[in-house]
Amino acid sequence: MAVKQVRLYGDPVLRQRSEQVEEIDDEIRDLVAGLVATVDDAEGLGLAAPQIGILKRVIVVVEPGGDGQREHHVVINPAIVSACGEDVNEEGCLSIPGIFAKVKRPQSVALRGRDPSGRDVNIEAKGMMARAFAHEIDHLDGILFTDRISMVKRSLLKRKLNEIKKQAKEMLRSPQ
Ligand SMILES: [Zn+2]
C-alpha cells in the first residue's frame, strides 16, 4: 500500500467532520493500510484518515516498543467513553510540521471502537498513549491541537502556521 500525502494545516479537509464507518469493506481495509504505511513513513505516533484526505472515522496510534518496534493500534469509529485526570505535555502533529506546544489532555482515557477485522475493542490508555488517542479522535471532528492552546501561544506561532498554510495551498494546487 502506497504512502499517502499528508494534508497540511490550512487544508479544508482537516476542518471537516468524518463519517462513521458502516461496513469494513475493501475501501476501509485499503484506508487502514494507507494510514499505517503513511504513519510509518513519517515516523509519526499517530494518524487519522482526514490527514490523508479521507473523511472516515479511522485512526492509527503507534505504541513504541523496545528495539525500535512499532505496535499499531487501528481503531474504527473510536469513541472516548471515559476520561480521568489532567496531563499537560508537548504535542505535535504530522499535519503541522515543526510546531510543538503544550496541550492539556486527560491523564487516562477508556475508548471503544472496532478493529480492522470488525471486532469490538475496548482500550485503556494512559499518559502519552491517552494523549495520542485523544489527539487522533479530535482530527475526526475537525479539531487540531493548535485549537487547544492559548491565544497568546497561538499568536506566537502565527507566522509559522501561515507558512504551513502556504505549503498546504501549493499542495492543493498540485496534488501528488
Ligand atoms: Zn495530528
Side-chain angles (χ1 to χ4, degrees):
M1 179 68 198
V3 169
K4 302 289 184 185
Q5 190 170 48
V6 176
R7 303 301 188 94
L8 295 179
Y9 182 91
D11 187 322
V13 78
L14 295 176
R15 290 311 196 172
Q16 291 175 53
R17 216 181 128 76
S18 294
E19 287 174 2
Q20 289 278 124
V21 173
E22 301 299 339
E23 193 194 339
I24 300 171
D25 53 12
D26 283 349
E27 191 192 326
I28 296 299
R29 280 185 281 273
D30 219 45
L31 166 59
V32 167
L35 282 171
V36 170
T38 306
V39 78
D40 280 350
D41 180 66
E43 295 176 20
L45 290 179
L47 197 64
Q51 291 180 278
I52 56 170
I54 312 279
L55 290 166
K56 296 279 185 189
R57 302 188 82 83
V58 183
I59 61 168
V60 59
V61 166
V62 177
E63 186 169 0
D67 325 323
Q69 276 184 347
R70 294 163 60 83
E71 190 185 342
H72 300 94
H73 299 278
V74 174
V75 190
I76 294 164
N77 299 336
I80 290 179
V81 290
S82 67
C84 271
E86 263 181 28
D87 179 50
V88 178
N89 216 325
E90 193 119 290
E91 210 165 301
C93 179
L94 292 179
S95 294
I96 316 177
I99 290 188
F100 300 90
K102 288 199 165 158
V103 183
K104 194 198 287 178
R105 297 282 186 188
Q107 216 290 314
S108 64
V109 295
L111 61 132
R112 66 167 174 236
R114 294 165 79 192
D115 74 11
S117 55
R119 277 186 290 261
D120 289 335
V121 287
N122 290 286
I123 296 173
E124 283 180 23
K126 279 191 229 165
M128 286 310 285
M129 289 300 287
R131 173 172 302 281
F133 279 111
H135 175 118
E136 298 313 331
I137 291 172
D138 266 357
H139 274 299
L140 304 181
D141 295 318
I143 299 166
L144 302 173
F145 84 86
T146 46
D147 301 336
R148 296 193 180 277
I149 63 179
S150 69
M151 272 174 53
V152 175
K153 178 74 180 168
R154 198 161 45 236
S155 67
L156 289 174
L157 294 173
K158 197 163 182 183
R159 222 183 57 191
K160 274 187 177 173
L161 286 171
N162 282 339
E163 277 167 24
I164 300 172
K165 267 192 201 168
K166 256 191 237 159
Q167 254 180 282
K169 264 193 196 154
E170 288 297 319
M171 270 172 51
L172 286 170
R173 243 181 258 135
S174 50
Q176 264 174 20

